[in-house]
């Protein structure tokens, strides 16, 4: 059976101890410090000595009859003060042997110190209370240790199996039964796990919450630092953890150990966690499976400015994500970068509304093409979006534009940033590529070449039509002489039964070839 924090017996507070059946038999009454009854009880200690404080380490509920305090008000006050200095959880005074009622001096001192003071009106065997509480605490400690070992074993098994970061975080969230967040030192979210609505609630105002929780633990916020060899590089936070703090810290520490090991085995690539986070976010935006509004907290927590911004969706073909990240930092452009499928990389720029989004996109593309060469990189863009809800449509539009010119960037005279208006017929054909009528048309028009699968002739035909039937340019791009090109064009015309000098026939073949290429992608 898997141990989770929900299955553990809750930690005992002073208030809970007072509700135990054995304690109720002693008719307990809280006479001071009632506002501090939620203090956790770490142990129960029976003590009559006036200097009991020196024997405590904090968190104890101290039981006494007060026989050594009777008749000496100074000792009574000092007894309470010593318990307060030792950070005791509470003091319980059994009435009868030394005091018929709660002594005013002890009660006033406890109230001033904020120390819960409880009196028992009926004779009560302290041994029964000690046995009951100690057994519960021991069971709790054993369960916490068992949980720690279970988590360590399961996380180690996942790391051994080369599981991704998300799988580890899911396991931690399952055990803690609360949202789990991993951040870098700048509070940028690198990963999350837990029930999606709860995670979104945490991320909605993440920067403020994270900075507030960064210094102290409380209200169920448990954190553990990530790092090694004297260097910290992040933290893991259990958000809204419902168990006791000690067990939560134990769980957070086990999770931190696993994450550090995971990073070490991955070559120390903490930045890859940022890439995974951006990839997950942009992939969800492109797919449209998750509404954009629900992804807004994740975008904000990932460090993307989202308030009063203009969003520029870009898709780069054959662009190295690491290079794109460096270029964004160099140009001072806020944005996210994530690798999609088939050699495409999404870039989502977030710009102040008073900046020229179009000009900045062109500047970014120009710098990129200067570094990589115009024949190797295509930067496709959708029109800037002023509303976050319109970003998914923009990313899909940019991806469509990039796909439409993917195989022809070397022969087309493309602007630095390619937009929907630049792809013309190619864009339309790509949208219609799955239509059975279009597929049948392409097969029929190109049958003479497709039957023998002559890729060389198909490539020549593709270049010839893409260059506007420019024979010189086609020969140059294929590194052949003009006479050799003429022979190939004659062979193509013979196999297809067309005259490529005839505009309508050439246009028909061109459309068929575009449809054929779109179907192969």
């Amino acid at each position: 059976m898997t141990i989770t924090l929900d299955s553990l017996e809750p930690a005992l507070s002073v208030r809970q101890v007072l509700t135990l059946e054995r304690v109720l038999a002693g008719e307990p009454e809280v006479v001071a410090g009632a506002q501090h009854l939620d203090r956790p009880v770490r142990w129960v200690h029976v003590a009559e000595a006036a200097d009991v404080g020196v024997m405590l380490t904090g968190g104890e509920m101290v039981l006494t009859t007060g026989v050594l305090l009777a008749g000496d008000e100074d000792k009574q006050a000092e007894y309470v003060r010593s318990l307060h200095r030792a950070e005791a959880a509470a003091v319980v005074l059994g009435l009868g042997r030394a005091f018929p009622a709660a002594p005013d001096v002890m009660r006033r001192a406890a109230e001033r110190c904020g120390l819960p003071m409880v009196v028992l009106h009926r004779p009560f065997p302290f041994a029964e209370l000690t046995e009951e509480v100690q057994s519960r605490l021991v069971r709790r400690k054993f369960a916490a240790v068992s949980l720690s070992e279970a988590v360590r074993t399961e996380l180690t098994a996942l790391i051994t199996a080369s599981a991704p970061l998300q799988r580890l975080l899911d396991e931690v969230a399952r055990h803690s039964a609360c949202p789990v967040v991993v951040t870098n030192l700048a509070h940028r979210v690198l990963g999350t796990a837990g029930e999606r609505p709860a995670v979104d609630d945490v991320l909605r105002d993440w920067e403020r919450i994270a900075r507030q929780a960064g210094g102290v633990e409380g209200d169920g916020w448990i954190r553990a630092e990530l790092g090694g060899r004297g260097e910290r590089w992040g933290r893991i936070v259990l958000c809204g953890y419902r168990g006791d703090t000690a067990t939560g810290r134990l769980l957070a520490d086990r999770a931190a150990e696993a994450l550090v090991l995971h990073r070490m085995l991955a070559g120390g690539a903490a930045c890859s966690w940022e890439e995974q986070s951006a990839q997950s976010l942009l992939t969800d935006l492109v797919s449209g499976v998750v509404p954009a509004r629900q992804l807004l907290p994740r975008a904000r927590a990932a460090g993307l400015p989202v308030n009063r911004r203009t969003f520029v969706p870009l898709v780069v073909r054959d662009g190295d994500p690491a290079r794109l990240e460096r270029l964004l930092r160099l140009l001072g452009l806020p944005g996210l970068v994530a690798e999609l499928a088939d050699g495409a990389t999404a870039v989502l720029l977030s710009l102040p509304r008073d900046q020229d989004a179009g000009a900045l996109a062109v500047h970014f593309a120009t710098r990129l093409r200067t570094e990589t060469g115009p024949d190797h990189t295509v930067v496709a863009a959708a029109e800037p979006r002023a509303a976050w809800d319109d970003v998914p449509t923009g990313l899909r539009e940019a991806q469509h534009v990039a796909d439409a010119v993917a195989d022809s960037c070397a022969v087309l005279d493309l602007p630095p940033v390619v937009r929907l208006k630049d792809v013309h017929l190619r864009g339309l054909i790509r949208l219609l590529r799955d239509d059975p009528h279009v597929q049948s048309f392409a097969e029929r028009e190109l049958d003479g070449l497709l039957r023998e699968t002559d890729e060389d002739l198909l490539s020549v035909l593709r270049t010839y039509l893409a260059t506007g039937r420019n024979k010189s340019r086609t020969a140059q791009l294929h590194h052949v002489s003009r006479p050799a090109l003429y022979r190939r064009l004659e062979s193509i015309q013979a196999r297809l039964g067309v005259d490529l000098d005839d505009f309508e026939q050439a246009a028909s073949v061109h459309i068929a070839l575009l449809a054929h290429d779109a179907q192969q992608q």
Side-chain angles (χ1 to χ4, degrees):
M1 180 183 69
T2 299
I3 301 174
T4 66
L5 293 180
D6 283 340
S7 67
L8 294 179
E9 183 179 338
L12 287 177
S13 65
V14 175
R15 189 188 308 277
Q16 290 169 321
V17 170
L18 297 180
T19 62
L20 296 177
E21 185 175 349
R22 290 184 179 182
V23 180
L24 291 174
E27 297 183 6
E29 178 189 358
V30 179
V31 296
Q35 66 272 34
H36 301 292
L37 294 181
D38 291 321
R39 286 181 177 177
V41 177
R42 189 183 61 81
W43 207 244
V44 177
H45 190 69
V46 180
E48 301 290 355
D51 59 349
V52 62
V54 300
M55 296 181 284
L56 306 179
T57 58
E60 295 91 350
M61 174 178 277
V62 178
L63 312 179
T64 183
T65 61
V67 293
L68 299 182
L69 304 175
D72 192 331
E73 292 187 348
D74 289 340
K75 282 187 177 181
Q76 295 169 19
E78 177 58 26
Y79 184 84
V80 172
R81 288 194 294 267
S82 68
L83 293 182
H84 170 65
R85 289 194 298 270
E87 298 182 349
V91 58
V92 178
L93 174 64
L95 302 180
R97 293 188 61 186
F99 298 100
D104 287 339
V105 172
M106 293 183 67
R107 183 179 54 78
R108 288 195 300 269
E111 194 65 48
R112 284 195 299 269
C113 294
L115 176 71
M117 181 176 175
V118 181
V119 297
L120 300 176
H121 290 278
R122 293 177 61 86
F124 182 81
F126 285 167
E128 291 187 10
L129 173 58
T130 302
E131 179 185 4
E132 176 74 13
V133 175
Q134 312 298 50
S135 64
R136 287 174 179 261
L137 293 174
V138 168
R139 288 199 301 269
R140 176 72 191 188
K141 186 177 291 290
F142 176 77
V145 172
S146 298
L147 170 66
S148 173
E149 289 307 309
V151 171
R152 173 182 280 147
T153 299
E154 292 175 22
L155 294 181
T156 301
L158 289 174
I159 293 172
T160 303
S162 301
L165 170 66
Q166 187 60 54
R167 184 68 186 85
L168 270 67
L169 296 183
D170 289 341
E171 194 67 20
V172 175
R174 185 172 67 84
H175 280 288
S176 64
C178 70
V180 175
V181 177
V182 174
T183 76
N184 60 16
L185 295 181
H187 305 294
R188 179 173 176 179
V189 174
L190 307 180
T192 63
E195 295 184 2
R196 196 71 255 168
V199 172
D200 287 344
D201 286 343
V202 169
L203 297 184
R204 194 158 284 116
D205 194 15
W206 172 254
E207 185 172 352
R208 180 187 63 79
I209 293 174
R211 294 187 185 280
Q212 183 176 352
V216 296
E217 291 182 346
D219 298 327
W221 286 73
I222 309 292
R223 74 184 190 281
E225 302 299 325
L226 303 177
R229 299 176 181 176
E231 178 187 4
R232 291 189 305 117
W233 44 265
R235 59 178 57 92
I236 181 170
V237 186
L238 309 185
C239 309
Y241 162 71
R242 295 191 297 272
D244 67 285
T245 301
T247 303
R249 286 174 180 160
L250 196 62
L251 177 59
D253 287 343
R254 294 295 84 78
E257 291 172 4
L259 296 185
V260 170
L261 178 59
H262 183 277
R263 180 198 177 196
M264 182 179 68
L265 294 179
C271 62
S272 67
W273 291 3
E274 297 184 7
E275 293 167 2
Q276 291 176 33
S277 175
Q279 183 174 29
S280 173
L281 173 61
L282 292 185
T283 299
D284 285 346
L285 278 170
V286 171
S287 69
V289 174
V290 182
R293 182 57 51 182
Q294 294 182 21
L295 297 173
L296 189 58
R298 287 170 58 187
R300 184 183 289 112
L304 186 73
V306 295
N307 295 329
R308 296 183 296 278
R309 309 292 285 190
T310 296
F311 302 101
V312 183
L314 305 173
V315 171
V316 181
R317 273 285 178 186
D318 300 323
D320 176 35
R323 182 194 296 272
L324 297 175
E325 283 270 17
R326 288 193 298 270
L327 184 56
L328 286 182
R329 289 195 295 269
L330 179 64
L331 299 178
L333 297 175
L336 295 178
V337 176
E339 188 173 6
L340 303 178
D342 301 325
T345 301
V347 179
L348 180 60
L349 301 181
S350 175
L351 307 173
R353 290 186 175 174
D354 59 353
Q355 293 186 345
D356 189 335
L360 287 175
V362 171
H363 181 50
F364 169 78
T366 303
R367 286 291 299 270
L368 181 62
R369 295 180 74 178
T370 299
E371 293 183 9
T372 61
D375 293 341
H376 296 90
T377 302
V378 172
V379 179
E383 292 302 315
R385 262 55 180 180
W388 172 258
D389 288 344
D390 295 333
V391 169
T393 303
L395 283 169
R396 288 192 290 271
E397 179 182 314
Q399 188 174 32
H400 164 67
V401 172
D403 290 343
V405 298
D407 296 326
S408 306
C409 57
V411 298
L412 295 176
D413 185 17
L414 298 174
V417 176
V418 187
R419 303 185 184 276
L420 193 60
K421 64 182 179 60
D422 300 314
V423 297
H424 306 294
L425 183 61
R426 293 174 180 274
L428 175 62
I429 294 300
R430 182 164 182 81
L431 290 176
L432 299 175
R433 63 178 178 172
D434 295 326
D435 188 295
H437 298 291
V438 175
Q439 295 173 356
S440 176
F441 169 76
E443 292 287 334
R444 184 171 61 253
E445 288 290 303
L446 301 175
D447 181 63
L449 289 178
L450 298 179
R451 196 182 317 125
E452 299 182 16
T453 321
D454 194 326
E455 291 297 335
D456 180 59
L457 291 182
L458 275 174
S459 178
V460 169
L461 178 61
R462 186 179 294 111
T463 303
Y464 180 62
L465 296 173
T467 59
R469 295 182 293 174
N470 186 320
K471 295 182 175 65
S472 298
R473 179 64 173 153
T474 303
Q476 179 184 11
L477 290 172
H478 283 270
H479 308 290
V480 297
S481 64
R482 291 282 292 267
L485 175 66
Y486 294 156
R487 289 193 294 272
R488 295 183 187 185
L489 291 177
E490 289 171 359
S491 179
I492 291 171
Q493 293 181 105
R495 293 191 184 192
L496 298 181
V498 298
D499 179 5
L500 293 178
D501 289 330
D502 181 86
F503 175 78
E504 185 173 338
Q505 295 184 53
S508 181
V509 172
H510 193 190
I511 292 172
L513 187 56
L514 290 176
H516 169 75
D517 290 344
Q519 293 160 17
Q520 305 307 307
Q521 296 178 4

